[in-house]
Amino acid sequence: TTVAQPPAPRVPSPATVLEGSATLYLGGDWAVVTKARTVVVAHLVRGRWRIDRGGKVKIDILGPTPGGTAAATPQVAAEMKGPGRLVEEGLWVDGRELLEKGGGLTPSDVTVYGAPSGKLAPGVHRAIAYARTATTGTAVAWTFRVV
């Protein structure tokens, strides 16, 4: 006879951390969650998604300038610093991940950049930058205008 195995525990969506939000990125037990103008990093801890509010990873936007204007194919760039080695970074424009490049002086201090694969339409666009170490992460969102 075979013994029925209990069903695997169901992990909730990372979007449960913010009512009415969407998951932009999911990588293992880390996620980037967005809602309107808000973006947060969520970490799966003991079967529950929790917003990382530690603020230990710092992201400085290098371009396009928040609220400023940019070319139709803008270079999106950010400097990212963590309390330890950064193990994951990402850049998005209008919900589409950019193919990024980068490097830095140390594994905990890097600059990443990328550009959309095609021209952006005139109007307001939203960029998001994300970085994390093995234990903490952050994400920032900003808008810029293409004229």
Side-chain angles (χ1 to χ4, degrees):
T1 61
T2 58
V3 177
Q5 296 293 321
R10 184 160 160 75
V11 176
S13 165
T16 59
V17 298
L18 290 174
E19 186 177 329
S21 65
T23 302
L24 175 68
Y25 169 77
L26 176 61
D29 58 355
W30 291 88
V32 178
V33 177
T34 65
K35 177 183 177 184
R37 296 180 183 163
T38 303
V39 62
V40 297
V41 172
H43 186 204
L44 186 62
V45 180
R46 292 186 292 282
R48 289 190 57 203
W49 289 99
R50 302 185 187 277
I51 296 174
D52 186 328
R53 299 187 191 279
K56 294 178 182 175
V57 174
K58 306 293 184 199
I59 297 177
D60 290 320
I61 300 163
L62 302 176
T65 302
T69 59
T73 308
Q75 179 169 284
V76 179
E79 181 180 16
M80 303 166 172
K81 296 181 181 182
R85 178 183 186 84
L86 294 170
V87 297
E88 193 169 51
E89 304 91 23
L91 295 172
W92 292 263
V93 171
D94 298 337
R96 293 181 182 220
E97 190 166 15
L98 304 182
L99 178 60
E100 62 191 50
K101 298 178 183 177
L105 299 174
T106 69
S108 63
D109 184 352
V110 301
T111 298
V112 295
Y113 59 93
S117 59
K119 291 185 176 186
L120 299 177
V124 176
H125 298 274
R126 183 174 189 225
I128 293 175
Y130 156 69
R132 75 168 179 88
T133 66
T135 59
T136 188
T138 196
V140 296
W142 72 101
T143 59
F144 62 92
R145 179 177 293 281
V146 170
V147 291

